[in-house]
Every structure is written in C-alpha cells, then in structure tokens.
Amino acid sequence: MTDPLAPRMRWWGWGVDGHDAPLTRSASMLLREELGLGGVAALPVALERVALAEPALGPAASAQLAGAVGGGENVRDDRLTRVTHAAGRSYPDLVRLRSGAGLAAPDAVVYPADHEQVASVLAVCAEHAIAVVPFGGGTSVVGGVEALRGSLSAVVSLDLARLSGLHDVDARSQLATFGAGTLGPDVERLLDPHGLTLGHFPQSFEFSTVGGWAATRSAGQASTGYGRIDELVVALRAATPSGELSTLPVPASAAGPDLRELLLGSEGVLGVITEVTLRVRPRPQHGHYDAYAMPGFAAGAEALRELEQAGAAPDVARLSDEEETRLSLALASHPAATRLLRAYMNARAGRSRRAGDSRDERPAGCMTILGFDGTPAEITLRRAGARRILRRHGAVALGGAPGAAWAKGRFHGAYLRDVLMSRGVLVETLETATTWTELTRLHRDVRAALGTALAQRATPAVVMCHVSHLYPTGASLYFTFLARRQMGAELAQWQAAKQAASEAISAAGATITHHHAVGRDHASWLPAEVGALGVAALQAVKARVDPTGIMNPGKLIP
Ligand SMILES: Cc1cc2nc3c(=O)[nH]c(=O)nc-3n(C[C@H](O)[C@H](O)[C@H](O)COP(=O)(O)OP(=O)(O)OC[C@H]3O[C@@H](n4cnc5c(N)ncnc54)[C@H](O)[C@@H]3O)c2cc1C
C-alpha cells in the first residue's frame, strides 16, 4: 500500500523523478551563446550527505504530539521527511537542498487530520515552547516554510496533507468549502462533477494547496479574469494558539474591519488556516488563445491598460518584454507564428535603423498572449473587442499557435529549473506591481538593477520580464533572470541580484511582492511598504493570538 504521507515532490527539486522537461537543442545552444555554458555542471548530493542536526524534540513533547494527531505514525522525524520540509522552492532553497548544506530542517513533522487536531498540536507546542511552521505544498519561493525556531528550543513542521478534500458545495450560491491541504488538481477534480471551476492556476498549481494560496495571497495565471485568491476566498477558518478565528461566508459585511483580510496573507504567523470557502463559477465550455506582436513593451502595456479599463480584458493576459519575446522566439515550437513574429520584429528593427537609431541591432517587438474562456459566442465577441483595441496600438495578429503552446506548457517552467540548475545556471524569478503610470519606469529600473548587479559579479546574464495580472489601476511585473552559477558563491550571487532588485522596487514605491508573499526573504522590506506603525500593528495582533510566539518565527513580520 502506498504511504499517504509520502513526499509529493522529490526532495531536491520540482515534481518527481522522470518528469523533467528535456532541454531542446535550441535551448542548449542559447545557454552556450548567451551565458557561455557547456555540459553538466552540478548534480544534487545524495540524501545521506545532507547535513542535519539531531532532532531536538523531548520525549514528553513527542508523546503529546503523537496523542494530538492520533498516533506516532503521524509524527515523523526520518531523514527524508525532515529534508522535504526544510525548504521551499526558491533558487536559494534549491541551492541549499542540492548542496546538502545550510538547511534549517524541522525536528519533526506532524500530520493532523482536522481542525481540532491542529488546535491540539498548537496547545502542545505552546506548552513546550516549540515553533510551528504550517506546511501546505511547500512551494514557497520566499523562505516561508523554512523551519526556523527563532528563540525556541525546537521546531515542528505542521503538514496539512490530511486536511484535504471538498467539505461542502453550495452550487446555488457558487460556494465551495475545502480543507486547507487540498492540492490544486484535486480542487478542480472535485469541482468538475458539479460543473464548477475555481479558475485559480498558479504555475505551482500541481503542488500547492488551498491553504497555502490563501496564506500567501496567491495569484493564478488567469487572475485577470477570475481574480486573485484574495478575491475568491469568501470565508476562512483558522486555529490559533489562542483559539479559533473564523469568518462567515456572506457576500459582504459592514461589521468592522474585515478579519478575512487579516488571515489572508498571514503566512502562518497568526495561526493555521484549516478550511477555506471559495467563490466558484460554472466551468467554461471553451477556451481560446490569441497572440499578437506589439511594437514594443510600452505600447503593449498601453494596449493592456486600455483593454482592462474598457472592461474588455481577457481572462489570461501576458505581455512579454523584448528580451522575453526574443528568448521565447529562440525556443519556440510553433513555426508559422514564429516566422511571422520574426519578420515583424526584423521589419521594426530595420525601420528603426533606417530612422538612424542604431543603438540596438536586435529585433524589436513584443509578444502578447490573450486567453478567453466562455461559450463560443462569448469568446468570439470578446476576441473581436480586444482585437479592435490592440490594433489601435499597432498589434499584428500571430494566430492561435503561440497561445495554445503556452497553455499546453503552462506548468512546465517549474520542471525546467532543475535541468537548468544542473547545467550550471542561476535561474530565479521575482515580481512586483505598480500603477499604469509607473509601470514602464519600474520595468526599466528593475531590469537595470538586476543586469548591473549580475554584471558586477562578472557573470553574463539574461533579464526578462512579463506583465501577467491586470487591474484597472495598474499591473504586475514578473522578472526572470538567468546567469552562470558562481559555484560555491551561489547564495552571495543571488543575494546581490535580489538586493539590487528589491532596492529598485522599494525606491520606485512599488510593492515588494505582488503574489509570492513576504516570508523570510522580503521581511526586512515590509517596513518600507507599510511603515513602522503598520508593522507594530501586526506585531500587536500576533502578540494577542500567539502570545508565546510559536507561529512561524522569522517570517512576514520583521
Ligand atoms: C515554480 C513555482 C511557480 C510558482 N508560481 C506561482 C504563481 O503563479 N502564483 C503565485 O501566487 N505563486 C506562485 N508560486 C509561489 C507559491 O506556489 C505560492 O506562494 C503558493 O500559494 C504556496 O502554496 P503552498 O501550498 O505550497 O504553501 P507553502 O509553500 O507550504 O506555504 C507558504 C506559506 O504559507 C504558510 N501556510 C501554508 N499553508 C498554510 C495554512 N493552511 N495556514 C497558515 N499558513 C499556511 C506557510 O507557513 C508559508 O509561510 C510559485 C512557486 C514555484 C516554486
């Protein structure tokens, strides 16, 4: 019989062995040309070589925890379990995991089965001064699940895998209540027989959970149409060390400040979200993707702004900047659209050269992908409306192939990171959001900051970006950067780039995170965003609901 609590992902990377996205010939060539990379560089160490401290839980605490979760089989401290709960999936997490050094592993992992058992675990941990790190899918990219113990003597990871499932559906009100540990694919599988969808598809969809989404204010790839998770969560139930916090599944309320908002994005520092009631909607009959070439990033952003503000935005909207477009072109597998886009970009580059601007010989232009859900009639109408607006901004239609290819591979990028890291590539992402007025300046500043920081360490780098979540007042920017790994100094190399980008974001008055959350990596930037009084207010709430400070030390609140 398979172990229901076995790790879902391989301990050092994404997914399970054998699911790696192979690197195509053109991708290998690109790595060689752009980053100067050759063959295989760095494979993960064996699990036995990962450095772990001895588990520090005393026998009394262990016995009480086992009692709280229905038996010793639901409290585990074997090597594999501890390592798989020691880190999330950011680049520095993967560097630590693959090198087997510098990990903060939990002393044990506990697997409660329901809200009451979670409350019992918190009571035991408060009594024995044990830190608790809530663990959903462990896909955090900001150090959110790192098992830091703070000033406490021990730390447990509280894995929500057993709190999984659909508890209730009210199709009439378009509401569905899930256990916090329910994984993305299970959400859609369980809603399917009811003809419903949540429409929340972060790139980490396969391995992230409902509770994790709510605790980090996640945004899915279709958030422009369906809304971020904070717009989809109607009610929450949470266990805190001081008791239960829950909110009503009502459509709106004027009963004071919204406690639902307090729990959304609380990243496990206040308590454990055990149940989430979500707004769901009828599963769309069809989906269609269009791709367009745009004259440049600024023109593309203007077109998206107009689409959004005119109420004509698609459900999925992505605008790649020139660099991301250039790279996707080099790696693309849809020849007709590629030819069209390449011709378009070469023509634009030729025009700007003829106009005397010879600063950049590279093809100019950007690609945007728009995805529409609905009935065939609805989709036809929406596509035509969007096309009218885009054409006013110089768009040229590229057909459906690039969008369909993106949709097919929408979760593949996560698998590619492991392959790239083995080839010696630093590959990391970061994201932010700002107003439409500031968007292109922020794009320029963060790109420059990342490029300069990586160049200072004498590593060739590629910095690219896309817009992927639209709002009437602004949009998010999502940066990906690649460089040659500085073996042995990878964390310092990453830190230099991250620091430079964070400074540029903060100086521009943009948010330090649009959807990855704060965790450990962004905690020192929170005061710049919410002010000293804002931080003190959060500290005061935490002191009331978590008086012994056991909940996720070192995360969110500096
Ligand atoms: C390849 C990749 C792609 C990604 N793509 C996206 C994306 O498209 N959009 C996006 O928003 N994010 C994305 N992320 C980030 C990450 O997947 C999200 O933050 C996600 O919401 C985390 O869910 P999880 O279940 O894995 O939570 P975890 O990683 O387990 O936890 C995240 C944080 O929430 C806390 N937490 C988890 N569950 C609970 C709970 N039930 N109660 C209280 N606290 C809890 C944890 O302690 C931690 O601080 C991506 C990450 C990776 C690695």
Side-chain angles (χ1 to χ4, degrees):
M1 211 178 77
T2 53
D3 176 3
L5 304 183
R8 300 183 192 108
M9 275 196 267
R10 59 182 168 199
W11 62 268
W12 56 269
W14 194 254
V16 293
D17 287 343
H19 282 218
D20 297 285
L23 217 50
T24 57
R25 243 169 67 86
S26 50
S28 295
M29 265 170 56
L30 199 112
L31 291 179
R32 220 177 5 257
E33 282 165 18
E34 307 264 336
L35 306 179
L37 286 166
V40 172
L43 295 173
V45 299
L47 179 62
E48 295 68 40
R49 287 192 46 213
V50 174
L52 287 182
E54 281 301 304
L57 272 191
S62 290
Q64 276 178 262
L65 283 173
V69 294
E73 68 278 15
N74 297 320
V75 182
R76 299 189 176 186
D77 65 359
D78 59 278
R79 172 169 281 268
L80 179 61
T81 304
R82 289 179 69 207
V83 171
T84 47
H85 290 81
R89 288 297 180 268
S90 66
Y91 176 75
D93 288 331
L94 295 175
V95 168
R96 287 190 200 100
L97 285 166
R98 294 168 70 110
S99 68
L103 286 173
D107 294 301
V109 180
V110 292
Y111 297 88
D114 55 29
H115 178 94
E116 287 66 33
Q117 289 195 1
V118 172
S120 302
V121 169
L122 299 190
V124 173
C125 289
E127 184 189 332
H128 291 272
I130 298 168
V132 180
V133 182
F135 191 99
T139 66
S140 168
V141 281
V142 291
V145 292
E146 196 177 353
L148 304 178
R149 64 195 65 209
S151 57
L152 305 174
S153 57
V155 52
V156 295
S157 179
L158 188 156
D159 191 315
L160 290 138
R162 292 172 74 207
L163 272 83
S164 170
L166 179 57
H167 296 176
D168 187 44
V169 181
D170 175 355
R172 189 179 173 81
S173 308
Q174 299 191 339
L175 292 172
T177 301
F178 286 93
T182 314
L183 290 165
D186 292 335
V187 169
E188 291 299 327
R189 181 180 56 76
L190 291 164
L191 288 176
D192 192 48
H194 302 275
L196 296 168
T197 182
L198 176 62
H200 186 72
F201 301 106
Q203 198 197 32
S204 56
F205 174 75
E206 295 165 282
F207 297 101
S208 55
T209 63
V210 168
W213 297 341
T216 59
R217 302 188 89 109
S218 158
Q221 291 165 340
S223 80
T224 298
Y226 289 84
R228 304 157 55 92
I229 201 69
D230 28 324
E231 297 167 64
L232 300 174
V233 171
V234 179
L236 292 151
R237 186 181 188 203
T240 81
S242 296
E244 178 175 330
L245 265 184
S246 55
T247 64
L248 294 176
V250 291
S253 164
D258 194 345
L259 284 182
R260 188 189 64 100
E261 287 285 348
L262 189 66
L263 290 169
L264 285 169
S266 59
E267 300 188 36
V269 306
L270 302 179
V272 181
I273 297 165
T274 55
E275 202 175 76
V276 186
T277 301
L278 296 155
R279 176 195 170 192
V280 292
R281 28 194 129 183
R283 187 172 287 280
Q285 291 172 18
H286 296 276
H288 184 89
Y289 289 90
D290 285 322
Y292 292 89
M294 302 299 301
F297 186 70
E302 266 308 280
L304 293 188
R305 179 183 69 77
E306 197 180 327
L307 278 178
E308 174 67 26
Q309 291 178 344
D315 298 306
V316 174
R318 292 173 76 86
L319 169 69
S320 295
D321 70 0
E322 286 83 353
E323 196 66 345
E324 193 174 277
T325 302
R326 187 175 69 78
L327 255 83
S328 38
L329 203 60
L331 304 175
S333 57
H334 31 80
T338 307
R339 268 198 302 277
L340 205 58
L341 180 57
R342 206 185 297 277
Y344 172 85
M345 292 173 84
N346 286 334
R348 282 198 55 74
R351 256 205 308 278
S352 70
R353 271 198 300 277
R354 278 195 298 281
D357 184 358
S358 58
R359 279 169 304 183
D360 192 350
E361 294 293 312
R362 288 175 168 177
C366 288
M367 184 160 77
T368 188
I369 288 173
L370 310 184
F372 301 89
D373 284 347
T375 62
E378 284 164 352
I379 291 175
T380 305
L381 205 65
R382 291 177 70 194
R383 287 177 62 206
R387 194 162 46 236
R388 265 195 302 279
I389 292 178
L390 285 176
R391 284 209 169 127
R392 281 210 294 277
H393 293 268
V396 172
L398 298 172
W406 172 82
K408 192 161 166 246
R410 65 197 297 183
F411 305 129
H412 283 182
Y415 294 87
L416 199 56
R417 279 195 320 166
D418 290 344
V419 183
L420 289 172
M421 283 185 73
S422 291
R423 292 283 186 99
V425 182
L426 180 173
V427 48
E428 179 64 315
T429 62
L430 55 88
E431 35 70 66
T432 176
T434 192
T435 59
W436 289 113
T437 304
E438 296 297 326
L439 198 75
T440 45
R441 187 166 69 95
L442 182 66
H443 171 249
R444 186 195 61 212
D445 291 354
V446 177
R447 259 185 64 79
L450 281 169
T452 307
L454 291 164
Q456 273 166 359
R457 301 184 71 87
T459 42
V462 173
V463 180
M464 51 194 179
C465 178
H466 62 250
V467 172
S468 50
H469 307 273
L470 312 186
Y471 305 90
T473 56
S476 72
L477 291 176
Y478 186 92
F479 293 87
T480 303
F481 53 102
L482 302 133
R484 197 163 54 214
R485 275 172 79 179
Q486 284 189 313
M487 293 302 178
E490 288 126 313
L491 295 179
Q493 182 191 20
W494 171 84
Q495 184 59 47
K498 180 75 179 174
Q499 179 73 18
S502 301
E503 278 168 13
I505 288 169
S506 188
T511 180
I512 196 66
T513 173
H514 167 263
H515 60 265
H516 281 168
V518 176
R520 186 207 48 190
D521 296 348
H522 294 143
S524 62
W525 297 97
L526 194 66
E529 184 142 347
V530 304
L533 183 59
V535 172
L538 286 175
Q539 281 164 340
V541 172
K542 179 167 171 72
R544 175 62 188 86
V545 299
D546 177 24
T548 45
I550 59 170
M551 295 308 309
N552 216 0
K555 318 293 167 52
L556 176 60
I557 305 176

XYZ file of all heavy atoms in Angstrom, residues 176-225:
359
model
N -17.819 26.884 -2.515
C -17.297 25.538 -2.213
C -16.314 25.660 -1.059
O -15.489 26.580 -1.036
C -16.607 24.952 -3.442
N -16.424 24.725 -0.105
C -15.540 24.764 1.064
C -14.573 23.584 1.009
O -15.003 22.434 0.866
C -16.382 24.713 2.355
O -17.270 25.843 2.341
C -15.491 24.800 3.587
N -13.275 23.899 1.119
C -12.222 22.877 1.026
C -11.401 22.828 2.303
O -11.200 23.857 2.963
C -11.266 23.204 -0.128
C -11.828 22.953 -1.489
C -12.463 23.971 -2.183
C -11.733 21.701 -2.084
C -12.991 23.748 -3.444
C -12.257 21.465 -3.346
C -12.891 22.489 -4.034
N -10.879 21.632 2.601
C -9.841 21.516 3.609
C -8.596 22.236 3.107
O -8.313 22.236 1.901
N -7.838 22.843 4.048
C -6.730 23.715 3.644
C -5.631 22.973 2.892
O -4.907 23.563 2.101
C -6.126 24.394 4.873
N -5.516 21.667 3.112
C -4.418 20.926 2.472
C -4.746 20.414 1.085
O -3.950 19.677 0.490
N -5.902 20.795 0.525
C -6.290 20.290 -0.801
C -5.374 20.863 -1.889
O -5.196 22.082 -1.978
C -7.759 20.669 -1.109
O -8.557 20.384 0.037
C -8.292 19.910 -2.307
N -4.821 19.985 -2.707
C -3.929 20.416 -3.791
C -4.719 20.965 -4.976
O -5.879 20.568 -5.196
C -3.108 19.228 -4.282
C -2.039 18.718 -3.323
C -1.558 17.330 -3.741
C -0.861 19.688 -3.261
N -4.064 21.811 -5.779
C -4.719 22.426 -6.932
C -5.474 21.446 -7.825
O -6.680 21.618 -8.078
N -4.824 20.382 -8.335
C -5.534 19.464 -9.237
C -6.749 18.825 -8.561
O -7.763 18.555 -9.226
C -4.472 18.409 -9.570
C -3.165 19.110 -9.360
C -3.384 20.060 -8.223
N -6.666 18.574 -7.238
C -7.808 17.980 -6.529
C -8.973 18.974 -6.437
O -10.142 18.576 -6.482
C -7.385 17.512 -5.132
C -6.430 16.324 -5.204
O -6.484 15.593 -6.218
O -5.627 16.147 -4.280
N -8.651 20.260 -6.290
C -9.719 21.274 -6.269
C -10.539 21.172 -7.547
O -11.778 21.056 -7.523
C -9.120 22.700 -6.132
C -10.179 23.763 -6.372
C -8.475 22.884 -4.763
N -9.854 21.171 -8.690
C -10.575 21.147 -9.968
C -11.256 19.791 -10.202
O -12.374 19.736 -10.709
C -9.627 21.502 -11.120
C -9.170 22.964 -11.100
C -10.322 23.967 -11.218
O -11.325 23.675 -11.900
O -10.223 25.050 -10.604
N -10.587 18.708 -9.780
C -11.180 17.356 -9.948
C -12.464 17.236 -9.124
O -13.472 16.675 -9.581
C -10.158 16.300 -9.509
C -10.610 14.858 -9.646
C -9.528 13.886 -9.196
N -9.058 14.096 -7.836
C -9.721 13.747 -6.734
N -10.893 13.161 -6.840
N -9.229 13.980 -5.532
N -12.460 17.788 -7.919
C -13.631 17.664 -7.041
C -14.764 18.601 -7.457
O -15.940 18.316 -7.212
C -13.210 17.947 -5.585
C -12.293 16.868 -4.972
C -11.607 17.374 -3.713
C -13.107 15.603 -4.663
N -14.409 19.711 -8.104
C -15.457 20.641 -8.562
C -16.064 20.189 -9.884
O -17.218 20.524 -10.206
C -14.876 22.054 -8.725
C -14.533 22.802 -7.439
C -13.865 24.145 -7.766
C -15.794 23.049 -6.584
N -15.305 19.433 -10.654
C -15.718 19.059 -12.005
C -17.107 18.400 -12.076
O -17.938 18.794 -12.906
C -14.644 18.162 -12.639
C -14.869 17.990 -14.114
O -15.082 19.018 -14.786
O -14.879 16.839 -14.594
N -17.420 17.396 -11.221
C -18.743 16.766 -11.305
C -19.890 17.747 -11.052
O -21.029 17.489 -11.435
C -18.709 15.704 -10.186
C -17.279 15.519 -9.840
C -16.570 16.770 -10.183
N -19.582 18.863 -10.402
C -20.617 19.882 -10.151
C -20.681 20.904 -11.288
O -21.428 21.879 -11.203
C -20.327 20.612 -8.832
C -20.263 19.689 -7.648
N -21.383 19.292 -6.951
C -19.214 19.062 -7.066
C -21.029 18.467 -5.979
N -19.722 18.303 -6.022
N -19.846 20.701 -12.312
C -19.818 21.649 -13.437
C -19.218 22.981 -13.049
O -19.521 24.016 -13.662
N -18.340 22.961 -12.012
C -17.804 24.227 -11.491
C -16.285 24.268 -11.634
O -15.633 23.236 -11.780
C -18.163 24.361 -10.006
C -19.653 24.449 -9.690
C -19.902 24.282 -8.198
C -20.236 25.781 -10.179
N -15.742 25.480 -11.559
C -14.288 25.663 -11.522
C -13.967 26.781 -10.549
O -14.794 27.672 -10.318
C -13.728 26.011 -12.922
O -12.303 26.121 -12.832
C -14.272 27.328 -13.448
N -12.739 26.713 -9.989
C -12.264 27.847 -9.196
C -11.555 28.836 -10.114
O -11.595 30.039 -9.899
C -11.307 27.347 -8.097
C -10.635 28.415 -7.234
C -11.681 29.221 -6.468
C -9.633 27.785 -6.262
N -10.870 28.318 -11.131
C -10.168 29.193 -12.089
C -8.878 29.752 -11.529
O -8.374 30.758 -12.015
N -8.305 29.087 -10.501
C -7.059 29.574 -9.903
C -5.920 28.641 -10.317
O -5.836 27.517 -9.827
C -7.199 29.623 -8.378
C -6.008 30.241 -7.717
N -5.741 31.587 -7.789
C -5.000 29.711 -6.983
C -4.632 31.855 -7.131
N -4.153 30.727 -6.634
N -5.055 29.133 -11.204
C -3.995 28.285 -11.751
C -2.629 28.953 -11.637
O -2.076 29.428 -12.637
C -4.285 27.971 -13.233
C -5.604 27.280 -13.450
C -6.678 27.973 -13.986
C -5.759 25.946 -13.100
C -7.900 27.338 -14.179
C -6.977 25.301 -13.288
C -8.056 26.002 -13.827
N -2.067 29.001 -10.421
C -0.684 29.478 -10.331
C 0.224 28.487 -11.043
O -0.169 27.337 -11.259
C -0.411 29.490 -8.820
C -1.389 28.536 -8.236
C -2.591 28.549 -9.121
N 1.421 28.920 -11.398
C 2.320 27.991 -12.107
C 2.656 26.793 -11.211
O 2.968 25.710 -11.696
C 3.598 28.703 -12.543
C 4.333 27.947 -13.622
C 5.768 28.397 -13.776
O 6.421 28.804 -12.826
N 6.254 28.340 -14.996
N 2.538 26.978 -9.900
C 2.804 25.907 -8.933
C 1.570 25.047 -8.656
O 1.574 24.246 -7.716
C 3.267 26.540 -7.622
O 2.275 27.466 -7.177
N 0.522 25.224 -9.460
C -0.787 24.593 -9.277
C -0.718 23.115 -8.869
O -1.409 22.670 -7.955
C -1.538 24.736 -10.607
C -2.848 24.029 -10.702
C -3.961 24.526 -10.049
C -2.989 22.879 -11.475
C -5.187 23.885 -10.162
C -4.207 22.235 -11.590
C -5.306 22.742 -10.928
N 0.152 22.345 -9.521
C 0.173 20.888 -9.289
C 0.538 20.514 -7.860
O 0.149 19.461 -7.372
C 1.187 20.225 -10.233
C 0.822 20.324 -11.687
C 2.021 19.990 -12.559
O 2.900 20.853 -12.711
O 2.092 18.875 -13.069
N 1.318 21.387 -7.177
C 1.839 21.000 -5.867
C 1.510 21.988 -4.756
O 1.982 21.826 -3.636
C 3.363 20.803 -5.948
C 3.750 19.688 -6.878
C 4.199 19.961 -8.150
C 3.612 18.365 -6.498
C 4.532 18.942 -9.030
C 3.936 17.330 -7.363
C 4.400 17.622 -8.632
N 0.730 23.021 -5.026
C 0.389 23.983 -3.968
C -1.052 23.750 -3.512
O -1.826 23.070 -4.184
C 0.612 25.421 -4.447
O -0.100 25.661 -5.647
N -1.383 24.318 -2.345
C -2.651 23.990 -1.694
C -3.545 25.218 -1.491
O -3.066 26.361 -1.498
C -2.372 23.396 -0.296
O -1.719 24.405 0.496
C -1.501 22.152 -0.366
N -4.800 24.928 -1.250
C -5.787 25.986 -0.998
C -5.350 26.867 0.191
O -5.393 28.092 0.129
C -7.163 25.343 -0.693
C -8.141 26.351 -0.132
C -7.729 24.687 -1.937
N -4.904 26.205 1.286
C -4.493 26.965 2.474
C -3.262 27.807 2.193
O -3.165 28.961 2.630
N -2.318 27.227 1.444
C -1.107 27.972 1.073
C -1.460 29.167 0.198
O -0.916 30.257 0.361
N -2.378 28.975 -0.747
C -2.789 30.092 -1.619
C -3.341 31.242 -0.768
O -2.979 32.402 -0.970
C -3.880 29.651 -2.602
C -3.487 28.586 -3.579
C -2.224 28.222 -3.946
C -4.384 27.732 -4.318
N -2.275 27.206 -4.864
C -3.574 26.883 -5.114
C -5.771 27.607 -4.392
C -4.126 25.924 -5.973
C -6.325 26.653 -5.246
C -5.513 25.824 -6.031
N -4.235 30.875 0.175
C -4.865 31.926 0.992
C -3.829 32.597 1.894
O -3.836 33.818 2.068
C -5.991 31.320 1.827
N -2.904 31.789 2.448
C -1.920 32.323 3.391
C -0.886 33.202 2.706
O -0.166 33.944 3.375
C -1.214 31.177 4.119
N -0.793 33.132 1.370
C 0.203 33.938 0.644
C -0.433 34.929 -0.332
O 0.284 35.581 -1.096
C 1.153 33.036 -0.175
O 0.352 32.268 -1.092
C 1.955 32.098 0.711
N -1.730 35.023 -0.383
C -2.428 35.906 -1.348
C -1.971 35.617 -2.778
O -1.584 36.524 -3.535
C -2.166 37.374 -1.044
C -2.557 37.821 0.315
C -2.435 39.308 0.438
N -3.681 39.925 0.040
C -4.531 40.524 0.864
N -4.235 40.620 2.142
N -5.651 41.035 0.446
N -2.073 34.370 -3.124
C -1.576 33.922 -4.423
C -2.382 34.502 -5.598
O -3.547 34.862 -5.454
C -1.668 32.394 -4.404
O -1.702 31.851 -5.671
N -1.736 34.578 -6.746
C -2.426 34.993 -7.981
C -2.212 33.920 -9.040
O -1.077 33.518 -9.291
C -1.889 36.327 -8.474
N -3.286 33.469 -9.650
C -3.184 32.450 -10.696
C -2.952 33.094 -12.054
O -3.049 34.312 -12.214
N -2.639 32.245 -13.047
C -2.335 32.772 -14.381
C -3.563 33.420 -15.033
O -3.427 34.239 -15.925
C -1.798 31.643 -15.264
C -0.413 31.170 -14.818
C -0.023 29.841 -15.438
O -0.876 29.089 -15.897
N 1.266 29.548 -15.440
N -4.770 33.035 -14.569
C -5.990 33.624 -15.136
C -6.595 34.659 -14.181
O -7.793 34.919 -14.213
C -7.005 32.520 -15.442
N -5.742 35.262 -13.355
C -6.280 36.179 -12.330
C -6.925 37.411 -12.938
O -7.795 38.028 -12.326
C -5.177 36.601 -11.358
O -4.392 37.621 -11.933
N -6.515 37.795 -14.143
C -7.142 38.971 -14.756
C -8.643 38.737 -14.931
O -9.455 39.633 -14.680
C -6.465 39.294 -16.112
O -5.094 39.606 -15.846
C -7.131 40.462 -16.810
N -9.014 37.520 -15.284
C -10.432 37.221 -15.459
C -11.114 36.713 -14.202
O -12.229 37.121 -13.884
